Amino acid sequence: NSEILQRQIQRLDRIKASRDENSVRQSLINLQVGAAGTENLMPYIIDAVRNMATLGEIIQVLKTEFGDYAHQRGE
C-alpha cells in the first residue's frame, strides 16, 4: 500500500533528522573496522542501533565488507 510506504518514509526521515549524524557515522565506521577483523560484531551493531543507524545503513556496511549472501541449492 502506498499510504503505508509514505508513512514509513516520513518516519525514517524524522528519525534521520533527529539523530546525531557524527555519532551514527562513527558507529558505522567502528562496525566496518570490526567487520574487517575477527571480533564479535554484536557490540558494534548494538552501538549503531543505539545511535539510530538504520538497518539499511548497517547492512550496507556489512555487505561492503562481506559481500552479498548467495544461497546455492544442494548445500
Side-chain angles (χ1 to χ4, degrees), residues 6-71:
Q6 284 296 69
R7 283 198 313 248
Q8 286 297 94
I9 290 170
Q10 290 170 351
R11 182 173 175 248
L12 183 58
D13 289 342
R14 283 194 306 272
I15 289 170
K16 286 184 173 183
S18 69
R19 67 188 187 176
D20 179 348
E21 286 301 319
N22 290 329
S23 296
V24 174
R25 189 176 311 109
Q26 188 59 55
S27 65
L28 293 172
I29 289 168
N30 293 342
L31 175 59
Q32 184 176 14
V33 170
T38 59
E39 297 182 60
N40 178 354
L41 298 182
M42 192 54 69
Y44 297 109
I45 294 170
I46 291 170
D47 183 59
V49 169
R50 284 187 177 141
N51 283 307
M52 300 175 74
T54 66
L55 180 59
E57 291 167 329
I58 292 168
I59 289 171
Q60 186 57 49
V61 168
L62 297 176
K63 278 184 173 184
T64 298
E65 187 59 37
F66 300 118
D68 285 325
Y69 173 78
H71 176 77

